[in-house]
Amino acid sequence: MRSNNTRAVFDATAATYNRDRMRLIPGHEAFYAAALEQIPAEATRIVELGAGSGLFSAMIRAAFPEAHLHLIDFSQPMLDLARQRLGDSPTLTYTLADYTTEPLPTPCDAVISALSIHHLEDEQKRVILPLIFAALRPGGLFINADHIAGPTPELETLYQQRWLNDVRALGATEQQVADSLYRQQEDRRTPVEPQLAWLRDAGFTEVDCWYKASSFAVLSGVRG
């Protein structure tokens, strides 16, 4: 279970989240594209964990307009923004829940998360993987597009400095930077290699990192 403080942070910053996002993720086009490309072309049931304001949900919806998209988030203000963005439809389901404790919809062709799982403690990250595995059909895919930590303290420092330089070059204001740093208080980022190992331990095959640019990466695994 995630802390109430994490929910409070995202509730408090929901109103500015959409405006800030694109200036705070250097290379966001390639980052999100790498995640979308992993979703099986024949997917008809997609679950998004930590859907937030629906920014990535809208991209999934555009790419898979016939699929049923199930959005899960634990922040009501964020989920309200997602509904405003995507509207209502028989092929859209909005669920206010903590995906670390609530059963996931099953069976599904893809479970995907973007910039959410890094808020979990490492033990929680490991615990949810078998639950995700169980929710997938055989051949289904889990995709995690996330904010990751450097593999050494020195590289982590470099990642953070590069991020600050890049977002300011993209035009982020000091208030946007401050708001992002406020949200990052709840980050529990983990390097790529342990996360790939945890996916294999949970039973996933074809595990790989498909995209990485400093502290942003796209990881995936298949339920065999």
Side-chain angles (χ1 to χ4, degrees):
M1 180 181 296
R2 286 172 287 185
S3 71
N4 289 332
N5 193 49
T6 303
R7 182 181 290 107
V9 165
F10 280 84
D11 286 352
T13 59
T16 60
Y17 192 74
N18 287 334
R19 183 196 67 200
D20 295 350
R21 177 70 75 91
M22 291 310 177
R23 288 183 175 175
L24 296 172
I25 306 174
H28 61 268
E29 298 98 336
F31 173 68
Y32 285 119
L36 278 174
E37 287 168 1
Q38 295 304 308
I39 302 175
E42 67 279 7
T44 60
R45 186 175 174 88
I46 302 169
V47 175
E48 185 180 6
L49 307 180
S53 66
L55 180 66
F56 188 50
S57 313
M59 299 179 197
I60 299 172
R61 185 72 166 165
F64 296 86
E66 302 304 318
H68 189 114
L69 178 58
H70 194 127
L71 291 76
I72 303 173
D73 201 88
F74 73 159
S75 168
Q76 187 64 60
M78 285 290 192
L79 210 57
D80 290 345
L81 288 173
R83 190 184 295 272
Q84 290 171 23
R85 186 190 294 272
L86 277 75
D88 288 300
S89 164
T91 56
L92 287 171
T93 301
Y94 302 90
T95 299
L96 179 66
D98 184 342
Y99 62 75
T100 67
T101 59
E102 298 295 323
L104 299 182
T106 187
C108 49
D109 301 299
V111 175
I112 187 162
S113 182
L115 299 172
S116 177
I117 290 174
H118 69 278
H119 297 121
L120 305 181
E121 300 290 349
D122 282 357
E123 185 55 31
Q124 289 179 302
K125 294 184 182 84
R126 299 187 70 171
V127 166
I128 65 169
L129 293 177
L131 305 179
I132 293 169
F133 185 90
L136 289 165
R137 301 179 190 274
L141 194 70
F142 170 52
I143 304 151
N144 184 22
D146 215 355
H147 199 188
I148 55 93
T152 66
E154 293 78 13
L155 282 171
E156 174 61 17
T157 298
L158 181 60
Y159 283 6
Q160 285 297 93
Q161 188 56 57
R162 180 170 292 179
W163 175 80
L164 284 169
N165 292 342
D166 287 347
V167 299
R168 285 171 173 145
L170 287 169
T173 66
E174 289 309 306
Q175 185 60 57
Q176 287 173 319
V177 171
D179 288 345
S180 180
L181 292 172
Y182 173 63
R183 286 190 290 268
Q184 289 179 41
Q185 294 177 88
E186 297 305 308
D187 284 2
R188 303 292 185 267
R189 294 182 292 114
T190 306
V192 165
E193 288 303 323
Q195 297 195 66
L196 295 177
W198 298 341
L199 284 166
R200 296 185 188 100
D201 290 345
F204 288 96
T205 61
E206 300 180 42
V207 171
D208 205 356
C209 175
W210 293 92
Y211 171 93
K212 183 176 180 300
S214 294
S215 57
F216 295 91
V218 176
L219 318 178
S220 72
V222 175
R223 175 173 178 173

